[in-house]
């Protein structure tokens, strides 16, 4: 069973993954991975060491033990979390070449009994909500920390840091509607230049105090934690800033494939990050432990202004990657029926993954700018950072354990051993960050909590509405039998009735019979189903089940990474014997008017939230890409 799954995954790998195995495109994919995958973690050196040293000392003066202890924590956090957990293990848990929290959730749910599958669904929703909490904070702290480099150039820039940050963020969100294709072409080279610059800068300053390299010894962690127990917990929370962005390795797996992501990390990103952190540590030691702003201050002279400019570009790239990731995650959540339909605009004719969601973009922009204005500086925002990311990493570890046991068929001992090791690190960082709730951590919890409530309400409300509707509807097979025995007046053409319930007669069909007293010569009950795979091959797209001469059931399956296109999928039906003329085909949709009910099974506030979400859902005609001139909408009123 496990071998069959592995073979099936290999056969259906994304093109990017297959191309990465050939030498001609490998360099291009590695360069692209630098820009998209590592933008977030690559900008952490701007503020991570500084914040960790401030946390360990409570001031602006650090002793040798603090510097070496913090550096050792950063080195081993990058090694265990990124190199071992994500590079070695998590990247192998691909769902037909795709990665990310929801892909891992879909993979883990395969073959599980209903109760266990529902539990995994809730875990996956928590991970998705936490990711969106991170997506709000990352652009704010990244761009703000880079612009703060202007204060190092001259203190006269201090009053203008926040306004400049807001202008850059406003421009970033404004250009999203044009797509990221043209911008992405410069992401890779710019990020590569960024990593080489921070690596070279760090290497030059290691000579200030070469003994800083001793921090590679993990004994310095034990010494630091035992001699500074009062500040160790807070310091660990700040150290985690160095590994934020690690989830992007897995989330962007489908875009580049495992090999380019691994090579980019081992050959360029990891070495340059280590050099930057060691260089900053040596710079601080050489100044007698004065912390200041080591990343920018060690680039004195003519290199300072170019480094500030490069840091700004790198943080914009990091923000862009998170924004694009948020679009992709929301689309997956919509396809998996965790959120109502959102308007999705495709910004590229060549790549289906390049999308723009206007409503999501507006909500992100407003949230990010409010954070910048509210917190005012990256040090304050650092307290809000980390909780959502560490929570998402805990979710990944839980789902990875299920995949190891159910999909990879590992025995209990190795699966449990790895889970305990990763879980101990993840939970340790989570607990160290959760203490920062009152200092700003409430922001990420609030954002993730709101998203989770929305998801839970949509999933629960949709299920309750489905169950209520089924009780009052007529079974389709019974209706088809009655119509065949005593058919009403038949009119030429084909009627396609969209419904999510393949058992009951669609409300649009019943209302059509009630009001028009006619039936089309050919009636198709069409259901669109989202598979637990990112894509569905054309050979598995359509399932046609004849009922009688008047009725047939058609089920269309789309992957959660695909945009449903009913007319295009209908073309496949011709090969399976369904002959139709699109110009004589009418699509009947039921437009529901939902009313709250005291006996709905949900609190009244949740009823109203569900009704509000349903009212803002994107039009089904547009979402399923049905020709508007062929659509008939029938209004119905239901209670939830």
């Amino acid at each position: 069973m496990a071998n069959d799954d592995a073979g099936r995954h290999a056969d259906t790998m994304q093109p990017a993954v297959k191309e990465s195995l050939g030498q001609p495109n490998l360099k291009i994919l590695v360069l692209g991975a630098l820009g998209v995958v590592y933008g977030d973690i690559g900008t952490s050196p701007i503020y991570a060491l500084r914040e960790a040293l401030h946390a360990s000392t409570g001031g602006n003066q650090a002793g040798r033990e603090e510097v070496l202890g913090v550096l050792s924590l950063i080195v081993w956090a990058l090694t265990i979390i990124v190199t071992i957990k994500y590079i070695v293990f998590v990247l192998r848990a691909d769902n037909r070449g795709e990665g990310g929290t929801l892909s891992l959730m879909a993979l883990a749910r395969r073959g599980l009994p209903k109760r266990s599958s529902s539990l995994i669904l809730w875990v996956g929703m928590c991970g998705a909500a936490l990711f969106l909490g991170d997506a709000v904070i990352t652009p704010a702290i990244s761009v703000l920390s880079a612009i703060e480099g202007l204060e190092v150039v001259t203190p006269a820039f201090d009053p203008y840091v926040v306004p400049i940050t807001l202008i850059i963020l406003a421009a970033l969100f404004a250009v999203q509607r044009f797509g990221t294709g043209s911008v992405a072409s410069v992401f890779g080279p710019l990020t590569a230049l960024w990593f080489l610059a921070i690596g070279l800068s760090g290497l030059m300053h290691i000579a200030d105090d070469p003994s800083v390299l001793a921090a590679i010894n993990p004994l310095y962690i034990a010494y630091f934690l035992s001699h500074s127990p009062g500040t160790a917990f807070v310091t660990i929370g700040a150290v985690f800033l160095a590994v934020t962005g690690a989830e992007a390795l897995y989330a962007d797996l489908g875009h580049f494939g495992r090999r380019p992501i691994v090579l980019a990390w081992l050959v360029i990103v990891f070495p340059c990050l280590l050099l930057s952190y060691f260089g900053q540590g040596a710079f601080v030691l050489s100044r007698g432990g004065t912390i200041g702003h080591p990343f920018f201050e060690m680039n004195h002279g003519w290199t300072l202004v170019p480094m500030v400019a490069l840091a700004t570009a790198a943080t914009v790239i990091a923000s862009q990657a998170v924004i694009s990731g948020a679009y992709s995650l929301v689309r997956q959540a919509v396809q998996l029926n965790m959120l109502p339909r959102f308007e999705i605009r495709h910004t590229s004719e060549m790549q289906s993954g390049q999308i723009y969601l206007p409503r999501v973009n507006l909500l992100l922009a407003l949230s990010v700018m409010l954070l910048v204005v509210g917190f005012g500086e990256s040090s304050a925002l650092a307290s809000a950072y980390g909780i959502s990311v560490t929570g998402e990493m805990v979710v990944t570890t839980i789902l990875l354990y299920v995949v190891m046991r159910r999909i990879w068929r590992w025995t209990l001992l190795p699966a449990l051993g790895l889970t305990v090791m990763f879980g101990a690190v993840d939970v340790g960082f989570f607990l160290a960050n959760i203490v920062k709730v009152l200092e700003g951590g409430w922001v990420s919890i609030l954002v993730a909590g709101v998203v989770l409530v929305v998801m839970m309400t949509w999933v629960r409300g949709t299920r309750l509405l489905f169950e209520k509707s089924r009780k009052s509807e007529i079974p389709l097979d019974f209706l088809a039998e009655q119509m065949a025995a005593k058919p009403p007046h038949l009119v030429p053409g084909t009627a396609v009735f969209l419904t999510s319930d393949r058992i009951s007669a669609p409300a649009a069909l019943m209302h059509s019979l009630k009001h028009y007293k006619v039936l089309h010569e050919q009636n198709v009950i069409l259901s669109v189903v989202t598979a637990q795979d990112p894509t569905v091959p054309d050979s598995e797209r359509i399932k046609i089940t004849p009922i009688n001469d008047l009725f047939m059931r058609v089920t269309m399956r789309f992957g959660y990474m695909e945009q449903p296109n009913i007319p295009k999928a209908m073309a496949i039906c011709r090969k399976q014997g369904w002959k139709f003329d699109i110009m004589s085909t009418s699509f009947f949709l039921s437009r529901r008017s939902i009313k709250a009910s005291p006996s709905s099974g949900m609190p009244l506030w949740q009823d109203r939230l569900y009704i509000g979400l349903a009212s803002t859902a994107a039009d089904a005609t547009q979402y399923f890409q049905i020709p508007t001139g062929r659509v008939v909408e029938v209004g119905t009123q239901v209670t939830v």
Side-chain angles (χ1 to χ4, degrees), residues 473-485 501-506 509-510 525 545-548 550-553:
E473 289 173 349
I474 299 173
L476 177 62
D477 290 339
F478 174 78
L479 179 69
E481 185 180 333
Q482 295 296 312
M483 292 294 101
D501 186 352
R502 287 169 284 180
I503 304 299
S504 305
L509 171 59
M510 299 305 297
I525 312 303
T545 307
I547 300 175
N548 56 29
L550 291 174
F551 292 90
M552 71 168 70
R553 285 191 185 92

PDB file of all heavy atoms in Angstrom, residues 473-485 501-506 509-510 525 545-548 550-553:
ATOM      1  N   GLU A 473     -36.105  17.319   1.434  1.00  0.00           N
ATOM      2  CA  GLU A 473     -36.018  17.139  -0.013  1.00  0.00           C
ATOM      3  C   GLU A 473     -36.409  15.722  -0.422  1.00  0.00           C
ATOM      4  O   GLU A 473     -36.364  14.786   0.386  1.00  0.00           O
ATOM      5  CB  GLU A 473     -34.603  17.471  -0.509  1.00  0.00           C
ATOM      6  CG  GLU A 473     -34.308  18.968  -0.430  1.00  0.00           C
ATOM      7  CD  GLU A 473     -32.860  19.306  -0.764  1.00  0.00           C
ATOM      8  OE1 GLU A 473     -32.049  18.356  -0.849  1.00  0.00           O
ATOM      9  OE2 GLU A 473     -32.549  20.499  -0.914  1.00  0.00           O
ATOM     10  N   ILE A 474     -36.765  15.585  -1.694  1.00  0.00           N
ATOM     11  CA  ILE A 474     -37.199  14.295  -2.243  1.00  0.00           C
ATOM     12  C   ILE A 474     -35.988  13.572  -2.816  1.00  0.00           C
ATOM     13  O   ILE A 474     -35.168  14.180  -3.512  1.00  0.00           O
ATOM     14  CB  ILE A 474     -38.245  14.526  -3.352  1.00  0.00           C
ATOM     15  CG1 ILE A 474     -39.475  15.243  -2.774  1.00  0.00           C
ATOM     16  CG2 ILE A 474     -38.648  13.213  -4.006  1.00  0.00           C
ATOM     17  CD1 ILE A 474     -40.478  15.661  -3.827  1.00  0.00           C
ATOM     18  N   PRO A 475     -35.869  12.265  -2.562  1.00  0.00           N
ATOM     19  CA  PRO A 475     -34.761  11.511  -3.154  1.00  0.00           C
ATOM     20  C   PRO A 475     -34.801  11.594  -4.679  1.00  0.00           C
ATOM     21  O   PRO A 475     -35.880  11.483  -5.292  1.00  0.00           O
ATOM     22  CB  PRO A 475     -35.002  10.076  -2.665  1.00  0.00           C
ATOM     23  CG  PRO A 475     -35.810  10.238  -1.418  1.00  0.00           C
ATOM     24  CD  PRO A 475     -36.673  11.441  -1.645  1.00  0.00           C
ATOM     25  N   LEU A 476     -33.651  11.798  -5.289  1.00  0.00           N
ATOM     26  CA  LEU A 476     -33.586  11.971  -6.734  1.00  0.00           C
ATOM     27  C   LEU A 476     -34.055  10.724  -7.480  1.00  0.00           C
ATOM     28  O   LEU A 476     -34.779  10.820  -8.478  1.00  0.00           O
ATOM     29  CB  LEU A 476     -32.142  12.326  -7.133  1.00  0.00           C
ATOM     30  CG  LEU A 476     -31.886  12.471  -8.632  1.00  0.00           C
ATOM     31  CD1 LEU A 476     -32.717  13.609  -9.217  1.00  0.00           C
ATOM     32  CD2 LEU A 476     -30.397  12.713  -8.908  1.00  0.00           C
ATOM     33  N   ASP A 477     -33.664   9.549  -7.011  1.00  0.00           N
ATOM     34  CA  ASP A 477     -34.056   8.308  -7.702  1.00  0.00           C
ATOM     35  C   ASP A 477     -35.580   8.149  -7.733  1.00  0.00           C
ATOM     36  O   ASP A 477     -36.147   7.713  -8.737  1.00  0.00           O
ATOM     37  CB  ASP A 477     -33.416   7.100  -7.020  1.00  0.00           C
ATOM     38  CG  ASP A 477     -31.903   7.050  -7.248  1.00  0.00           C
ATOM     39  OD1 ASP A 477     -31.440   7.677  -8.221  1.00  0.00           O
ATOM     40  OD2 ASP A 477     -31.197   6.393  -6.462  1.00  0.00           O
ATOM     41  N   PHE A 478     -36.243   8.515  -6.623  1.00  0.00           N
ATOM     42  CA  PHE A 478     -37.705   8.432  -6.567  1.00  0.00           C
ATOM     43  C   PHE A 478     -38.333   9.390  -7.569  1.00  0.00           C
ATOM     44  O   PHE A 478     -39.269   9.036  -8.303  1.00  0.00           O
ATOM     45  CB  PHE A 478     -38.190   8.740  -5.151  1.00  0.00           C
ATOM     46  CG  PHE A 478     -39.681   8.814  -5.006  1.00  0.00           C
ATOM     47  CD1 PHE A 478     -40.442   7.646  -4.936  1.00  0.00           C
ATOM     48  CD2 PHE A 478     -40.331  10.042  -4.969  1.00  0.00           C
ATOM     49  CE1 PHE A 478     -41.825   7.712  -4.826  1.00  0.00           C
ATOM     50  CE2 PHE A 478     -41.712  10.111  -4.858  1.00  0.00           C
ATOM     51  CZ  PHE A 478     -42.466   8.945  -4.786  1.00  0.00           C
ATOM     52  N   LEU A 479     -37.825  10.640  -7.611  1.00  0.00           N
ATOM     53  CA  LEU A 479     -38.359  11.627  -8.542  1.00  0.00           C
ATOM     54  C   LEU A 479     -38.148  11.183  -9.991  1.00  0.00           C
ATOM     55  O   LEU A 479     -39.064  11.308 -10.832  1.00  0.00           O
ATOM     56  CB  LEU A 479     -37.691  12.979  -8.311  1.00  0.00           C
ATOM     57  CG  LEU A 479     -38.136  14.110  -9.249  1.00  0.00           C
ATOM     58  CD1 LEU A 479     -39.583  14.501  -8.947  1.00  0.00           C
ATOM     59  CD2 LEU A 479     -37.224  15.319  -9.127  1.00  0.00           C
ATOM     60  N   ALA A 480     -36.966  10.666 -10.293  1.00  0.00           N
ATOM     61  CA  ALA A 480     -36.674  10.221 -11.656  1.00  0.00           C
ATOM     62  C   ALA A 480     -37.607   9.087 -12.075  1.00  0.00           C
ATOM     63  O   ALA A 480     -38.074   9.037 -13.223  1.00  0.00           O
ATOM     64  CB  ALA A 480     -35.213   9.765 -11.737  1.00  0.00           C
ATOM     65  N   GLU A 481     -37.903   8.204 -11.148  1.00  0.00           N
ATOM     66  CA  GLU A 481     -38.822   7.098 -11.427  1.00  0.00           C
ATOM     67  C   GLU A 481     -40.231   7.616 -11.724  1.00  0.00           C
ATOM     68  O   GLU A 481     -40.900   7.165 -12.660  1.00  0.00           O
ATOM     69  CB  GLU A 481     -38.840   6.143 -10.227  1.00  0.00           C
ATOM     70  CG  GLU A 481     -39.662   4.884 -10.442  1.00  0.00           C
ATOM     71  CD  GLU A 481     -39.634   3.985  -9.219  1.00  0.00           C
ATOM     72  OE1 GLU A 481     -38.649   4.036  -8.457  1.00  0.00           O
ATOM     73  OE2 GLU A 481     -40.625   3.234  -9.027  1.00  0.00           O
ATOM     74  N   GLN A 482     -40.685   8.619 -10.930  1.00  0.00           N
ATOM     75  CA  GLN A 482     -42.009   9.193 -11.136  1.00  0.00           C
ATOM     76  C   GLN A 482     -42.090   9.940 -12.465  1.00  0.00           C
ATOM     77  O   GLN A 482     -43.093   9.850 -13.190  1.00  0.00           O
ATOM     78  CB  GLN A 482     -42.334  10.155  -9.987  1.00  0.00           C
ATOM     79  CG  GLN A 482     -42.462   9.489  -8.625  1.00  0.00           C
ATOM     80  CD  GLN A 482     -43.620   8.512  -8.577  1.00  0.00           C
ATOM     81  OE1 GLN A 482     -44.738   8.835  -8.989  1.00  0.00           O
ATOM     82  NE2 GLN A 482     -43.367   7.302  -8.093  1.00  0.00           N
ATOM     83  N   MET A 483     -41.031  10.675 -12.801  1.00  0.00           N
ATOM     84  CA  MET A 483     -41.020  11.439 -14.049  1.00  0.00           C
ATOM     85  C   MET A 483     -40.989  10.510 -15.272  1.00  0.00           C
ATOM     86  O   MET A 483     -41.579  10.834 -16.314  1.00  0.00           O
ATOM     87  CB  MET A 483     -39.811  12.383 -14.098  1.00  0.00           C
ATOM     88  CG  MET A 483     -39.857  13.525 -13.086  1.00  0.00           C
ATOM     89  SD  MET A 483     -41.183  14.716 -13.356  1.00  0.00           S
ATOM     90  CE  MET A 483     -42.364  14.163 -12.103  1.00  0.00           C
ATOM     91  N   ALA A 484     -40.287   9.391 -15.134  1.00  0.00           N
ATOM     92  CA  ALA A 484     -40.229   8.441 -16.252  1.00  0.00           C
ATOM     93  C   ALA A 484     -41.576   7.760 -16.462  1.00  0.00           C
ATOM     94  O   ALA A 484     -41.993   7.506 -17.596  1.00  0.00           O
ATOM     95  CB  ALA A 484     -39.147   7.392 -15.985  1.00  0.00           C
ATOM     96  N   ALA A 485     -42.286   7.477 -15.359  1.00  0.00           N
ATOM     97  CA  ALA A 485     -43.590   6.815 -15.454  1.00  0.00           C
ATOM     98  C   ALA A 485     -44.657   7.770 -15.991  1.00  0.00           C
ATOM     99  O   ALA A 485     -45.532   7.374 -16.775  1.00  0.00           O
ATOM    100  CB  ALA A 485     -44.002   6.274 -14.085  1.00  0.00           C
ATOM    101  N   ASP A 501     -25.625  17.970  -3.110  1.00  0.00           N
ATOM    102  CA  ASP A 501     -26.228  16.742  -2.596  1.00  0.00           C
ATOM    103  C   ASP A 501     -26.559  15.830  -3.773  1.00  0.00           C
ATOM    104  O   ASP A 501     -27.510  16.093  -4.534  1.00  0.00           O
ATOM    105  CB  ASP A 501     -27.493  17.077  -1.803  1.00  0.00           C
ATOM    106  CG  ASP A 501     -28.089  15.862  -1.105  1.00  0.00           C
ATOM    107  OD1 ASP A 501     -27.607  14.740  -1.356  1.00  0.00           O
ATOM    108  OD2 ASP A 501     -29.034  16.040  -0.313  1.00  0.00           O
ATOM    109  N   ARG A 502     -25.818  14.751  -3.915  1.00  0.00           N
ATOM    110  CA  ARG A 502     -26.016  13.857  -5.052  1.00  0.00           C
ATOM    111  C   ARG A 502     -27.173  12.885  -4.847  1.00  0.00           C
ATOM    112  O   ARG A 502     -27.549  12.159  -5.764  1.00  0.00           O
ATOM    113  CB  ARG A 502     -24.729  13.073  -5.324  1.00  0.00           C
ATOM    114  CG  ARG A 502     -23.619  13.899  -5.935  1.00  0.00           C
ATOM    115  CD  ARG A 502     -22.296  13.162  -5.950  1.00  0.00           C
ATOM    116  NE  ARG A 502     -21.684  13.125  -4.616  1.00  0.00           N
ATOM    117  CZ  ARG A 502     -20.534  12.540  -4.336  1.00  0.00           C
ATOM    118  NH1 ARG A 502     -19.875  11.906  -5.292  1.00  0.00           N
ATOM    119  NH2 ARG A 502     -20.033  12.554  -3.132  1.00  0.00           N
ATOM    120  N   ILE A 503     -27.757  12.857  -3.646  1.00  0.00           N
ATOM    121  CA  ILE A 503     -28.830  11.919  -3.344  1.00  0.00           C
ATOM    122  C   ILE A 503     -30.203  12.547  -3.557  1.00  0.00           C
ATOM    123  O   ILE A 503     -31.122  11.922  -4.102  1.00  0.00           O
ATOM    124  CB  ILE A 503     -28.720  11.416  -1.884  1.00  0.00           C
ATOM    125  CG1 ILE A 503     -27.336  10.790  -1.641  1.00  0.00           C
ATOM    126  CG2 ILE A 503     -29.817  10.416  -1.572  1.00  0.00           C
ATOM    127  CD1 ILE A 503     -27.039   9.595  -2.525  1.00  0.00           C
ATOM    128  N   SER A 504     -30.358  13.800  -3.147  1.00  0.00           N
ATOM    129  CA  SER A 504     -31.663  14.463  -3.197  1.00  0.00           C
ATOM    130  C   SER A 504     -31.849  15.225  -4.508  1.00  0.00           C
ATOM    131  O   SER A 504     -30.875  15.604  -5.171  1.00  0.00           O
ATOM    132  CB  SER A 504     -31.810  15.427  -2.020  1.00  0.00           C
ATOM    133  OG  SER A 504     -31.592  14.756  -0.788  1.00  0.00           O
ATOM    134  N   ALA A 505     -33.115  15.453  -4.843  1.00  0.00           N
ATOM    135  CA  ALA A 505     -33.426  16.255  -6.027  1.00  0.00           C
ATOM    136  C   ALA A 505     -33.077  17.714  -5.748  1.00  0.00           C
ATOM    137  O   ALA A 505     -33.462  18.254  -4.710  1.00  0.00           O
ATOM    138  CB  ALA A 505     -34.904  16.129  -6.367  1.00  0.00           C
ATOM    139  N   PRO A 506     -32.347  18.390  -6.631  1.00  0.00           N
ATOM    140  CA  PRO A 506     -31.953  19.784  -6.395  1.00  0.00           C
ATOM    141  C   PRO A 506     -33.170  20.692  -6.233  1.00  0.00           C
ATOM    142  O   PRO A 506     -34.206  20.492  -6.883  1.00  0.00           O
ATOM    143  CB  PRO A 506     -31.158  20.143  -7.647  1.00  0.00           C
ATOM    144  CG  PRO A 506     -30.750  18.842  -8.248  1.00  0.00           C
ATOM    145  CD  PRO A 506     -31.822  17.865  -7.895  1.00  0.00           C
ATOM    146  N   LEU A 509     -34.422  22.190  -9.450  1.00  0.00           N
ATOM    147  CA  LEU A 509     -35.226  21.284 -10.269  1.00  0.00           C
ATOM    148  C   LEU A 509     -36.669  21.251  -9.776  1.00  0.00           C
ATOM    149  O   LEU A 509     -37.622  21.314 -10.571  1.00  0.00           O
ATOM    150  CB  LEU A 509     -34.619  19.882 -10.234  1.00  0.00           C
ATOM    151  CG  LEU A 509     -35.449  18.744 -10.853  1.00  0.00           C
ATOM    152  CD1 LEU A 509     -35.733  19.026 -12.324  1.00  0.00           C
ATOM    153  CD2 LEU A 509     -34.718  17.406 -10.685  1.00  0.00           C
ATOM    154  N   MET A 510     -36.851  21.152  -8.463  1.00  0.00           N
ATOM    155  CA  MET A 510     -38.195  21.098  -7.897  1.00  0.00           C
ATOM    156  C   MET A 510     -38.962  22.394  -8.160  1.00  0.00           C
ATOM    157  O   MET A 510     -40.155  22.366  -8.494  1.00  0.00           O
ATOM    158  CB  MET A 510     -38.112  20.827  -6.395  1.00  0.00           C
ATOM    159  CG  MET A 510     -37.440  19.503  -6.033  1.00  0.00           C
ATOM    160  SD  MET A 510     -38.196  18.077  -6.837  1.00  0.00           S
ATOM    161  CE  MET A 510     -39.846  18.137  -6.141  1.00  0.00           C
ATOM    162  N   ILE A 525     -27.816  16.065 -13.223  1.00  0.00           N
ATOM    163  CA  ILE A 525     -27.610  16.480 -11.836  1.00  0.00           C
ATOM    164  C   ILE A 525     -26.111  16.528 -11.614  1.00  0.00           C
ATOM    165  O   ILE A 525     -25.444  15.492 -11.527  1.00  0.00           O
ATOM    166  CB  ILE A 525     -28.282  15.503 -10.846  1.00  0.00           C
ATOM    167  CG1 ILE A 525     -29.722  15.210 -11.279  1.00  0.00           C
ATOM    168  CG2 ILE A 525     -28.217  16.062  -9.444  1.00  0.00           C
ATOM    169  CD1 ILE A 525     -30.596  16.438 -11.423  1.00  0.00           C
ATOM    170  N   THR A 545     -23.144   8.696 -14.209  1.00  0.00           N
ATOM    171  CA  THR A 545     -23.998   7.591 -13.771  1.00  0.00           C
ATOM    172  C   THR A 545     -25.398   7.810 -14.327  1.00  0.00           C
ATOM    173  O   THR A 545     -26.136   8.679 -13.831  1.00  0.00           O
ATOM    174  CB  THR A 545     -24.064   7.511 -12.230  1.00  0.00           C
ATOM    175  OG1 THR A 545     -22.742   7.466 -11.708  1.00  0.00           O
ATOM    176  CG2 THR A 545     -24.838   6.285 -11.784  1.00  0.00           C
ATOM    177  N   PRO A 546     -25.800   7.042 -15.363  1.00  0.00           N
ATOM    178  CA  PRO A 546     -27.162   7.177 -15.899  1.00  0.00           C
ATOM    179  C   PRO A 546     -28.197   6.728 -14.859  1.00  0.00           C
ATOM    180  O   PRO A 546     -27.983   5.759 -14.131  1.00  0.00           O
ATOM    181  CB  PRO A 546     -27.166   6.256 -17.119  1.00  0.00           C
ATOM    182  CG  PRO A 546     -25.713   6.009 -17.427  1.00  0.00           C
ATOM    183  CD  PRO A 546     -24.999   6.079 -16.122  1.00  0.00           C
ATOM    184  N   ILE A 547     -29.318   7.453 -14.772  1.00  0.00           N
ATOM    185  CA  ILE A 547     -30.423   7.070 -13.889  1.00  0.00           C
ATOM    186  C   ILE A 547     -31.547   6.457 -14.720  1.00  0.00           C
ATOM    187  O   ILE A 547     -31.997   5.349 -14.441  1.00  0.00           O
ATOM    188  CB  ILE A 547     -30.932   8.289 -13.098  1.00  0.00           C
ATOM    189  CG1 ILE A 547     -29.792   8.875 -12.245  1.00  0.00           C
ATOM    190  CG2 ILE A 547     -32.130   7.892 -12.211  1.00  0.00           C
ATOM    191  CD1 ILE A 547     -30.165  10.152 -11.514  1.00  0.00           C
ATOM    192  N   ASN A 548     -31.998   7.175 -15.740  1.00  0.00           N
ATOM    193  CA  ASN A 548     -32.936   6.654 -16.733  1.00  0.00           C
ATOM    194  C   ASN A 548     -32.799   7.508 -17.988  1.00  0.00           C
ATOM    195  O   ASN A 548     -31.823   8.255 -18.124  1.00  0.00           O
ATOM    196  CB  ASN A 548     -34.372   6.613 -16.197  1.00  0.00           C
ATOM    197  CG  ASN A 548     -34.842   7.986 -15.700  1.00  0.00           C
ATOM    198  OD1 ASN A 548     -34.393   9.026 -16.190  1.00  0.00           O
ATOM    199  ND2 ASN A 548     -35.745   7.982 -14.715  1.00  0.00           N
ATOM    200  N   LEU A 550     -34.298  10.118 -18.848  1.00  0.00           N
ATOM    201  CA  LEU A 550     -34.446  11.550 -18.622  1.00  0.00           C
ATOM    202  C   LEU A 550     -33.345  12.152 -17.750  1.00  0.00           C
ATOM    203  O   LEU A 550     -33.029  13.336 -17.862  1.00  0.00           O
ATOM    204  CB  LEU A 550     -35.804  11.845 -17.967  1.00  0.00           C
ATOM    205  CG  LEU A 550     -37.057  11.622 -18.821  1.00  0.00           C
ATOM    206  CD1 LEU A 550     -38.302  11.818 -17.972  1.00  0.00           C
ATOM    207  CD2 LEU A 550     -37.073  12.565 -20.012  1.00  0.00           C
ATOM    208  N   PHE A 551     -32.770  11.354 -16.856  1.00  0.00           N
ATOM    209  CA  PHE A 551     -31.844  11.872 -15.848  1.00  0.00           C
ATOM    210  C   PHE A 551     -30.509  11.126 -15.858  1.00  0.00           C
ATOM    211  O   PHE A 551     -30.460   9.918 -16.142  1.00  0.00           O
ATOM    212  CB  PHE A 551     -32.449  11.764 -14.441  1.00  0.00           C
ATOM    213  CG  PHE A 551     -33.620  12.666 -14.196  1.00  0.00           C
ATOM    214  CD1 PHE A 551     -34.914  12.236 -14.468  1.00  0.00           C
ATOM    215  CD2 PHE A 551     -33.433  13.953 -13.709  1.00  0.00           C
ATOM    216  CE1 PHE A 551     -35.998  13.063 -14.245  1.00  0.00           C
ATOM    217  CE2 PHE A 551     -34.506  14.786 -13.480  1.00  0.00           C
ATOM    218  CZ  PHE A 551     -35.797  14.344 -13.754  1.00  0.00           C
ATOM    219  N   MET A 552     -29.467  11.874 -15.503  1.00  0.00           N
ATOM    220  CA  MET A 552     -28.164  11.257 -15.244  1.00  0.00           C
ATOM    221  C   MET A 552     -27.439  12.068 -14.175  1.00  0.00           C
ATOM    222  O   MET A 552     -27.684  13.273 -14.010  1.00  0.00           O
ATOM    223  CB  MET A 552     -27.305  11.185 -16.513  1.00  0.00           C
ATOM    224  CG  MET A 552     -26.778  12.529 -16.994  1.00  0.00           C
ATOM    225  SD  MET A 552     -25.507  12.371 -18.264  1.00  0.00           S
ATOM    226  CE  MET A 552     -26.468  11.781 -19.638  1.00  0.00           C
ATOM    227  N   ARG A 553     -26.597  11.394 -13.416  1.00  0.00           N
ATOM    228  CA  ARG A 553     -25.736  12.069 -12.445  1.00  0.00           C
ATOM    229  C   ARG A 553     -24.355  12.247 -13.046  1.00  0.00           C
ATOM    230  O   ARG A 553     -23.802  11.329 -13.641  1.00  0.00           O
ATOM    231  CB  ARG A 553     -25.597  11.249 -11.151  1.00  0.00           C
ATOM    232  CG  ARG A 553     -26.775  11.255 -10.226  1.00  0.00           C
ATOM    233  CD  ARG A 553     -26.387  10.628  -8.895  1.00  0.00           C
ATOM    234  NE  ARG A 553     -27.515  10.501  -7.978  1.00  0.00           N
ATOM    235  CZ  ARG A 553     -28.277   9.432  -7.886  1.00  0.00           C
ATOM    236  NH1 ARG A 553     -28.040   8.374  -8.652  1.00  0.00           N
ATOM    237  NH2 ARG A 553     -29.284   9.395  -7.023  1.00  0.00           N
TER     238      ARG A 553
END
